[in-house]
Amino acid sequence: MSTFKRKKAKAVTVSSSSETTVNLLPGTRLSPFSSSTILTSSGIASLDDILGGGLPLSCSLLVIAPDIHSSYGELVQKYFISQGLASGQKLCVIDDEPERFISECMWFSNGNSSSTVAPPAEDEDDSKEIDHDTNVNIAWRYEHLTQFQTTVSASKFSTDEFCRPFDLTYKVPGSFLDQATKSSQVVLLKASSDLKRVIDVITESLRTCSQEVVPVRICIPLLGSPGWGDLKPKEVLNFVYLLRTVLRQYPHGCASVGLRPSMSGDGWGGPGWLNKLSWLFDGSVTLAGFSADPSLSLTFPSHHGSFHIHRLPAPYSLRSASDRSSTLRGVSSVSGLTGGAGENNLAFKCTRRRLVIETHHLDVEGGVGERRTATAPVPLPVAVPVAVPIPAEEKEKKGTSTRSRLKGTGIAAMPVELEEKEEKEKEEPAGLHLKMRKKVTFRAEQQPDLYDF
Amino acid sequence: MTWFSVNDLLTSNGPLVITDQLVSPGDFLLHQLLSEYVKNSSDGKCVIISTSQDVAKWKSISSRSGFNLTQKLEQGSIIFIDVPTQLPDLSPSEATLLPLLNLIRNSVKNLHRNGTTPTLLIFDELATFEWIGHPVLDISRFARALVAYCAKNDVYLVVRYHIAVPVDLDGVVRILLQLAAYHIEVLPLSSGKSGAVSGEISVHAGPTLISTPRRVIPRSRALQYRLGDYQVTYFERGMGSAVL
């Protein structure tokens, strides 16, 4: 009997019986592992999977985006707001320009919604992947296996009402926003340096909805933006501490807070700044974009940044439900008898229509940029500057007599040339040598096999 | 599987200090301690002071551990103090921690201990006060006063402290460790997160311990643990179920 066992992710089934006996709040569902935990969606299906099915009510989530050249953190906050609007939940948005921010939120594909661009029949990225995979001739013994998945789909959850399939090409309708503002579903507050007043407004929003029993989403897209004034680290921590206190008092609320990129490091808050912040939140994640480091963008061309998890919500248990249920993290499959491995590396990418978090796998060694299952494409020539010694005779002919002038003076001669278009067509450009990209081969074409006799 | 009893480390000479990190939170030790204390002593009284977790989480975990915290709260044998709710005016700029100390003293007095088992006082957690702006001097005085009060009144004191910078222990934590009888360190694995091992713990004898240490676990032989939803499993390094 073979001792090897195939690792399979445990299937997560949501029992429908629990939902029928409890009157759930709009846009929420019960956690399959804890009947006292009520979950609400963050708007991103893959982020919900990482959080353990969604963000639990009475919990707060910190989204750190330290990249100053991108705004992925604000994008996550927009998803959070859009999901709250779509689910009919109450929103309290605190920002420098809350009206402008909320008007830029995405929406789902609907006949009444406004679209910034004409939606194509299929997503370009998805169609490319589909075409690529259909050309693969796979061995017969692997035909029954499912396609390799790096993320989770929104259809994993019971209904679309829990997590809407938002499309970045659509914006929330202006009429919908006006109606939501008039009916007080949306409370907009300008960021202020008076943190106590902000806490009072949040408390009031939660208190007024405690009788209506409607979930309240508190969203602070950019804590520390100029509208907040000149904040000190201890003031920020005190504010977050008070916010957590308010959420504990009114357990039908939840909060999502983003941090200004310049405040997202120990350089601003001192040693252990992010650790202290993460302790005061129930969940803490980082979306570290690659735009600040070009080498990372070249190394991982299919993703836009890496996703790190610092803390996950566990409001009624010792460990987060994500440890058992998350497909992306992959911890649940290894926590049993066959366990021992660490969790998956995660990365995110922002396509034209959505933001998705995926498992992050390293490329094949040897410099190949993708897992190739079809014929290799023609390698692109890469211009690599190679030091080629230029004969002194040619230099003298051209008239640059640097070497001759410096000859015998003891000074190193560094030939510097300007481009000469007339002679360019005839001669090869000196100093540059086109190299073909390195290919992965098991047998060098030019060198004989060592074992050939 | 190895059994590790936190209750054995309780002593009225000095506090049991539990330090943990973000990657390896140590709240499971507090829940285990409360469960063992309640099961081992039928007449024991307990005061829980919390700045982070609300009572709902304590109730949820205790119900899975085999005792009814709700009933104990109603009977008055356990008192739960939620600091942010009961002392909302305890802000760094306006007040010191003296009101909190007075509240704790009154709560211990109100328990009316009849049996022989010393009262248990769980303080979760002390580093938050330092982070939100309370002066280090004020927190140090509060810690010393609390330790002295517990030693004088035969109260088992357990204090949890979050370590934000593992390589730099300064401020209140250094003073706390100087007052400790036992110090439990909850550490993450140096190789990162794992599904089979949540972290490891080591136990050190503190400067104020008078008697012979009951159990000391050096870092080199740290005991590993794996968290479940409501329980924790301990095992020696290399003896986990994933390996065996």
Side-chain angles (χ1 to χ4, degrees):
Chain A
M1 176 101 180
S2 173
T3 58
F4 293 101
K5 294 179 186 176
R6 179 176 295 170
K7 291 180 185 177
K8 288 181 183 176
K10 291 181 184 175
V12 175
T13 56
V14 178
S15 60
S16 58
S17 59
S18 59
E19 294 182 3
T20 55
T21 56
V22 177
N23 292 328
L24 290 176
L25 302 174
T28 64
R29 67 184 188 105
L30 283 177
S31 169
F33 305 106
S34 171
S35 57
S36 12
T37 306
I38 302 175
L39 303 173
T40 186
S41 174
S42 62
I44 306 171
S46 44
L47 181 57
D48 287 344
D49 175 88
I50 292 168
L51 293 174
L55 181 64
L57 291 183
S58 80
C59 291
S60 52
L61 176 68
L62 174 66
V63 180
I64 304 167
D67 184 17
I68 58 175
H69 304 289
S70 57
S71 58
Y72 296 116
E74 292 184 36
L75 189 60
V76 173
Q77 301 302 331
K78 285 177 182 173
Y79 270 104
F80 185 75
I81 292 172
S82 295
Q83 183 61 50
L85 286 172
S87 302
Q89 298 170 347
K90 185 163 181 181
L91 279 164
C92 181
V93 181
I94 304 155
D95 190 47
D96 289 357
E97 296 176 352
E99 296 89 358
R100 183 193 63 81
F101 189 85
I102 203 171
S103 66
E104 294 173 350
C105 290
M106 64 291 293
W107 204 240
F108 47 90
S109 173
N110 193 359
N112 297 328
S113 59
S114 60
S115 170
T116 54
V117 295
E122 286 180 358
D123 192 318
E124 290 177 3
D125 299 328
D126 293 340
S127 62
K128 280 181 187 173
E129 293 176 1
I130 292 169
D131 291 340
H132 177 75
D133 290 331
T134 51
N135 293 332
V136 174
N137 294 323
I138 204 164
W140 63 270
R141 65 184 62 189
Y142 302 125
E143 283 177 352
H144 69 280
L145 293 180
T146 57
Q147 192 175 3
F148 180 70
Q149 298 287 343
T150 56
T151 187
V152 293
S153 60
S155 59
K156 179 185 174 182
F157 300 101
S158 53
T159 60
D160 275 348
E161 292 181 0
F162 179 78
C163 182
R164 294 278 182 170
F166 293 105
D167 192 331
L168 292 177
T169 57
Y170 289 91
K171 278 190 181 176
V172 60
S175 57
F176 186 90
L177 270 182
D178 293 337
Q179 190 182 357
T181 310
K182 283 178 187 173
S183 62
S184 300
Q185 182 191 355
V186 174
V187 173
L188 302 176
L189 178 66
K190 279 208 166 183
S192 164
S193 56
D194 187 359
L195 300 178
K196 191 174 181 310
R197 178 176 167 268
V198 174
I199 290 291
D200 290 340
V201 170
I202 293 173
T203 309
E204 190 58 34
S205 300
L206 290 166
R207 190 184 297 131
T208 52
C209 285
S210 60
Q211 297 173 358
E212 300 171 14
V213 198
V214 174
V216 180
R217 293 186 178 224
I218 312 295
C219 182
I220 304 175
L222 211 61
L223 179 62
S225 58
W228 292 89
D230 190 16
L231 290 177
K232 303 284 187 302
K234 292 195 175 178
E235 290 174 342
V236 174
L237 292 170
N238 192 29
F239 172 77
V240 172
Y241 172 75
L242 294 173
L243 177 64
R244 185 179 68 179
T245 306
V246 171
L247 287 174
R248 294 284 190 267
Q249 280 183 311
Y250 301 98
H252 61 282
C254 61
S256 179
V257 178
L259 207 57
R260 196 181 73 184
S262 58
M263 290 167 56
S264 303
D266 290 354
W268 185 83
W273 163 244
L274 287 183
N275 277 346
K276 294 175 189 174
L277 258 186
S278 300
W279 269 119
L280 293 176
F281 281 90
D282 298 289
S284 174
V285 296
T286 292
L287 282 83
F290 291 154
S291 57
D293 192 347
S295 63
L296 286 176
S297 302
L298 290 173
T299 310
F300 307 112
S302 56
H303 293 100
H304 294 135
S306 57
F307 188 88
H308 303 288
I309 303 168
H310 306 295
R311 197 176 185 203
L312 291 168
Y316 301 109
S317 58
L318 289 177
R319 64 171 183 176
S320 169
S322 168
D323 288 359
R324 290 180 64 182
S325 67
S326 176
T327 307
L328 283 175
R329 291 181 62 209
V331 179
S332 59
S333 60
V334 298
S335 60
L337 296 177
T338 56
E343 58 184 85
N344 293 327
N345 294 317
L346 298 173
F348 68 91
K349 66 179 181 183
C350 183
T351 64
R352 202 168 54 84
R353 305 183 78 178
R354 59 179 187 154
L355 175 73
V356 63
I357 301 166
E358 296 182 335
T359 52
H360 195 191
H361 304 275
L362 293 177
D363 294 328
V364 176
E365 287 182 347
V368 179
E370 58 184 8
R371 292 175 59 196
R372 243 189 356 253
T373 51
T375 310
V378 176
L380 299 173
V382 176
V384 177
V386 174
V388 176
I390 303 168
E393 300 171 352
E394 292 185 2
K395 281 289 180 188
E396 290 176 358
K397 285 180 186 175
K398 288 174 188 175
T400 56
S401 55
T402 309
R403 283 179 184 258
S404 58
R405 281 193 279 112
L406 295 177
K407 194 174 183 180
T409 58
I411 301 172
M414 178 64 68
V416 177
E417 290 185 354
L418 295 175
E419 283 184 6
E420 297 177 357
K421 294 183 182 178
E422 297 173 1
E423 300 177 357
K424 233 185 186 180
E425 297 173 2
K426 298 177 183 177
E427 299 176 357
E428 284 184 8
L432 283 179
H433 178 64
L434 285 177
K435 252 191 177 180
M436 301 301 287
R437 182 177 281 185
K438 201 175 178 181
K439 289 186 278 189
V440 176
T441 54
F442 294 99
R443 177 176 297 192
E445 294 173 353
Q446 296 170 359
Q447 295 176 4
D449 197 343
L450 290 174
Y451 299 100
D452 281 343
F453 296 99
Chain B
M1 193 174 78
T2 310
W3 176 251
F4 174 72
S5 173
V6 192
N7 210 28
D8 295 341
L9 302 177
L10 292 176
T11 170
S12 51
N13 295 329
L16 166 63
V17 176
I18 299 173
T19 58
D20 57 358
Q21 299 181 21
L22 183 67
V23 187
S24 56
D27 51 347
F28 66 95
L29 286 170
L30 300 180
H31 294 287
Q32 181 187 342
L33 175 66
L34 180 64
S35 172
E36 289 176 0
Y37 178 81
V38 168
K39 288 176 183 174
N40 292 344
S41 57
S42 57
D43 59 344
K45 310 288 184 184
C46 180
V47 177
I48 304 171
I49 301 105
S50 175
T51 61
S52 55
Q53 301 174 11
D54 61 342
V55 67
K57 183 167 182 175
W58 283 86
K59 285 180 183 176
S60 171
I61 297 173
S62 64
S63 66
R64 302 295 203 283
S65 303
F67 75 96
N68 193 339
L69 179 61
T70 308
Q71 189 181 9
K72 296 280 184 185
L73 289 170
E74 289 171 359
Q75 290 172 354
S77 57
I78 295 180
I79 294 177
F80 188 90
I81 299 174
D82 189 7
V83 174
T85 309
Q86 293 183 251
L87 291 172
D89 296 330
L90 200 69
S91 65
S93 58
E94 297 173 10
T96 65
L97 292 175
L98 188 58
L100 178 59
L101 185 64
N102 291 334
L103 179 61
I104 295 172
R105 286 173 180 164
N106 293 335
S107 300
V108 173
K109 282 180 192 172
N110 291 338
L111 279 177
H112 299 295
R113 196 185 82 193
N114 299 324
T116 57
T117 309
T119 305
L120 174 64
L121 184 65
I122 298 176
F123 195 97
D124 178 31
E125 173 278 331
L126 194 60
T128 307
F129 294 111
E130 186 180 353
W131 297 345
I132 63 175
H134 284 272
V136 172
L137 181 63
D138 190 34
I139 302 172
S140 307
R141 286 174 176 167
F142 169 79
R144 284 205 173 95
L146 186 63
V147 169
Y149 174 78
C150 292
K152 191 177 175 182
N153 292 277
D154 196 25
V155 174
Y156 291 149
L157 176 61
V158 179
V159 180
R160 183 183 174 202
Y161 192 95
H162 296 322
I163 301 290
V165 185
V167 296
D168 184 20
L169 297 183
D170 204 353
V172 177
V173 67
R174 187 174 282 186
I175 295 170
L176 208 56
L177 292 177
Q178 289 171 355
L179 300 170
Y182 282 103
H183 171 210
I184 300 180
E185 239 183 331
V186 185
L187 299 164
L189 289 182
S190 56
S191 54
K193 290 182 185 177
S194 166
V197 181
S198 303
E200 50 189 23
I201 60 172
S202 57
V203 181
H204 311 284
T208 60
L209 184 64
I210 299 174
S211 57
T212 309
R214 290 176 195 157
R215 185 170 185 183
V216 173
I217 304 173
R219 276 195 188 181
S220 56
R221 288 188 293 111
L223 195 64
Q224 294 184 340
Y225 68 92
R226 185 165 72 85
L227 289 178
D229 288 338
Y230 305 101
Q231 73 286 337
V232 60
T233 311
Y234 297 98
F235 43 89
E236 296 285 346
R237 200 174 286 175
M239 303 291 282
S241 57
V243 177
L244 298 178

